[in-house]
Amino acid sequence: MKNPRLSSSINLKSDRLLVLFFAISQFIAYFRWSELGQFIAIEGSNVLQSTGFTGLPLVGAFIAMSAVLNVFMTSGSAQWALMAPVFVPMLMMIDFDPAFVLAMFRIGDSSTNIISPMSPYFSVALVYMQRYKPDMGLGTLIATMLPLAMGFLLAWSAFLMFWLMMGWPIGPGVYMMAN
């Protein structure tokens, strides 16, 4: 059974995705050409060190920033492609392991996927909800999923912070700090 709403939604998303990839490639090329990413990374690490904003507060802030940005971006890989050239070097300069930076990003990114209207799965979830209650719209889906998304975000963040406080590695030989 073909669903015309789902087909048109996917077609619309594929056009947006093509435009998004073009914009991201231009953004990355500009960052490489201007060396702005390196400048922001170096100055950002200096600011973080001088203010003492490191450790668990920085972990929480980075996860929250990833979660907020995810609401406005379609793809986690595209978001990582924009964030990694700046934040991986910035956090490496204050001794964060790059694998740990990715782990923080994944917690923020994955928790808010279901409330991101730009996500392709959002359309699918909306169509399935409308199958059982046709008057449901975007706001209803977001309002329904927001407590779940925030619950996951808080639970995974708390779990990561607990793991760090115990001093356990997050993977083979990977700790929060590189040294």
Side-chain angles (χ1 to χ4, degrees):
M1 179 170 111
K2 187 175 178 182
N3 186 334
R5 278 200 244 161
L6 183 60
S7 303
S8 66
S9 176
I10 290 173
N11 287 337
L12 183 62
K13 295 279 184 194
S14 65
D15 293 342
R16 289 181 184 167
L17 195 59
L18 185 62
V19 170
L20 180 66
F21 285 153
F22 177 74
I24 289 170
S25 66
Q26 293 299 311
F27 185 78
I28 291 171
Y30 178 72
F31 252 48
R32 282 192 186 131
W33 174 78
S34 68
E35 297 181 357
L36 186 61
Q38 292 174 352
F39 175 77
I40 294 171
I42 293 167
E43 290 303 314
S45 69
N46 291 338
V47 168
L48 291 173
Q49 284 177 339
S50 66
T51 60
F53 189 62
T54 59
L56 295 180
L58 179 58
V59 170
F62 186 84
I63 291 172
M65 181 186 64
S66 297
V68 169
L69 286 175
N70 185 53
V71 173
F72 303 104
M73 297 197 69
T74 305
S75 165
S77 57
Q79 183 181 351
W80 181 245
L82 292 175
M83 291 177 67
V86 174
F87 288 101
V88 170
M90 178 189 301
L91 296 177
M92 280 179 67
M93 287 182 210
I94 58 171
D95 288 333
F96 274 58
D97 193 287
F100 181 74
V101 176
L102 179 60
M104 291 188 301
F105 166 76
R106 289 301 302 144
I107 289 172
D109 173 60
S110 64
S111 300
T112 53
N113 278 338
I114 193 59
I115 60 169
S116 173
M118 298 297 291
S119 171
Y121 307 112
F122 189 83
S123 308
V124 174
L126 183 61
V127 168
Y128 276 110
M129 284 181 73
Q130 288 175 340
R131 176 182 281 177
Y132 299 104
K133 193 166 182 184
D135 62 333
M136 289 188 137
L138 295 175
T140 307
L141 178 58
I142 292 173
T144 302
M145 294 299 164
L146 189 61
L148 183 65
M150 292 303 106
F152 272 116
L153 182 64
L154 293 174
W156 278 114
S157 298
F159 182 71
L160 179 67
M161 303 231 186
F162 170 76
W163 199 269
L164 294 174
M165 289 188 290
M166 300 311 304
W168 299 332
I170 62 165
V174 177
Y175 292 86
M176 176 178 157
M177 299 304 213
N179 297 324

